[in-house]
């Protein structure tokens, strides 16, 4: 579905991505793991058109989207849930969800809203509440719900566990798995929480200093001694509760 081919990108004279090659197949959860500053967020932002790739190309179902404007990329079925959630804090939960449907035929909104509230029942009694008054976990659910309202074919998730309590982290990853399983949603997941991310992944890759240096299935990378030493030591009990 998505093919990133030899992509370089950065900010001014600072290059953050150095010839990245990665593919996301239809219907899978593809996970990219790496330390803070490895270039993961820059990759997602480059897929969405900001910053621009300076070299290489990005294909969506064979169409070159490298130079498209961000709104044109969104209209082709890519939705981005950014790191830090970035909801509209002064707008209500319902208004935030309505913003997700700006590029979609309004006739779908009622049914899509019902679907999102089934996935995230905590939001239903808070539809009239300002987004900024929600808990961190509820804001993450709102950000994901807003993205789903746009009816994406590909969902980009950037650090969905960031700043959340372990119990909420587990709940968020259960919802990610359910979206992929029940709706055949293709998901490209960026995470520092390597244990949960690799456990959820069909395939995965490790990014170091703006380059991909290891690939495999989620299970293969979970079992890899080098990955365990670099990213997993002590992570499983903290992320998933007592062993």
């Amino acid at each position: 579905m998505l093919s990133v081919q030899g992509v370089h990108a950065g900010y001014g004279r600072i290059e953050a991505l150095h010839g990245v090659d990665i593919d996301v197949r239809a219907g899978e959860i593809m996970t990219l793991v790496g330390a803070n500053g490895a270039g993961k967020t820059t990759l997602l932002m480059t897929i969405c058109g900001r910053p621009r790739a300076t070299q290489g190309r990005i294909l969506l179902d064979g169409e070159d989207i490298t130079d498209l404007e961000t709104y044109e990329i969104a209209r082709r079925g890519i939705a981005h849930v950014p790191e830090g959630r970035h909801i509209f804090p002064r707008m209500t939960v319902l208004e935030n969800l309505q913003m997700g449907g700006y590029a979609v035929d309004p006739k779908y909104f009622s049914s899509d809203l019902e679907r999102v509230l089934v996935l995230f029942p905590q939001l239903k009694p808070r539809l009239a509440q300002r987004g900024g008054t929600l808990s961190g976990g509820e804001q993450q659910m709102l950000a994901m719900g807003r993205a789903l309202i746009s009816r994406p074919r590909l969902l980009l998730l950037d650090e969905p566990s960031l700043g959340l309590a372990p119990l909420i982290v587990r709940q968020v990853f259960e919802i990610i798995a359910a979206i992929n399983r029940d709706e055949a949603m293709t998901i490209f997941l960026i995470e520092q929480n390597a244990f949960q991310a690799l456990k959820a992944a069909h395939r995965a890759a490790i990014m170091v200093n703006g380059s991909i240096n290891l690939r495999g299935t989620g299970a293969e990378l979970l079992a890899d001694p080098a990955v365990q030493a670099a990213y997993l030591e002590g992570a499983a009990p903290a992320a998933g509760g007592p062993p």
Side-chain angles (χ1 to χ4, degrees):
M1 175 179 281
L2 180 74
S3 181
V4 177
Q5 303 176 355
V7 164
H8 294 248
Y11 308 95
R13 296 183 179 181
I14 300 174
E15 185 174 85
L17 303 178
H18 313 301
V20 173
D21 292 290
I22 195 165
D23 294 317
V24 182
R25 299 170 185 168
E28 74 173 353
I29 298 176
M30 176 67 188
T31 291
L32 183 62
V33 172
N36 188 33
K40 306 184 305 298
T41 291
T42 299
L43 176 58
L44 286 198
M45 293 174 65
T46 302
I47 291 169
C48 293
R50 297 292 176 91
R52 294 286 186 192
T54 56
Q55 296 181 49
R57 61 181 189 159
I58 302 165
L59 305 179
L60 180 66
D61 287 333
E63 179 189 4
D64 193 333
I65 63 170
T66 313
D67 296 322
L68 294 182
E69 295 294 333
T70 298
Y71 71 88
E72 294 176 317
I73 294 169
R75 285 176 174 167
R76 280 160 173 75
I78 296 181
H80 182 202
V81 181
E83 179 183 357
R85 300 177 277 278
H86 293 282
I87 63 162
F88 299 99
R90 293 183 177 274
M91 298 174 74
T92 67
V93 169
L94 179 59
E95 289 167 340
N96 270 272
L97 294 172
Q98 288 171 329
M99 291 298 294
Y102 79 95
V104 180
D105 191 323
K107 71 181 181 182
Y108 296 116
F109 182 76
S110 294
S111 60
D112 288 344
L113 176 62
E114 183 177 347
R115 164 173 147 258
V116 164
L117 295 179
V118 169
L119 281 169
F120 306 108
Q122 297 94 324
L123 299 180
K124 189 169 185 178
R126 293 170 170 76
L127 287 175
Q129 187 173 328
R130 286 189 178 184
T133 65
L134 300 180
S135 69
E138 290 166 345
Q139 289 188 24
Q140 183 62 55
M141 294 173 190
L142 177 56
M144 292 171 64
R146 180 181 61 190
L148 291 173
I149 289 284
S150 71
R151 301 185 140 240
R153 294 183 293 136
L154 173 62
L155 184 63
L156 309 180
L157 295 174
D158 192 350
E159 304 283 6
S161 73
L162 185 67
L164 303 183
L167 182 63
I168 305 301
V169 169
R170 184 160 51 190
Q171 184 178 1
V172 166
F173 275 95
E174 287 171 354
I175 292 168
I176 291 169
I179 294 169
N180 171 256
R181 180 185 65 245
D182 299 339
E183 303 190 19
M185 178 73 66
T186 305
I187 296 173
F188 188 15
L189 170 65
I190 306 299
E191 259 294 339
Q192 288 187 62
N193 187 329
F195 175 75
Q196 289 285 6
L198 294 175
K199 189 169 71 168
H202 296 100
R203 293 187 306 122
I206 305 294
M207 176 171 271
V208 178
N209 296 329
S211 300
I212 305 294
N213 76 341
L214 192 62
R215 306 170 195 268
T217 67
E220 287 170 346
L221 295 190
L222 271 174
D224 187 295
V227 174
Q228 291 177 357
Y231 302 102
L232 297 174
E233 288 185 353

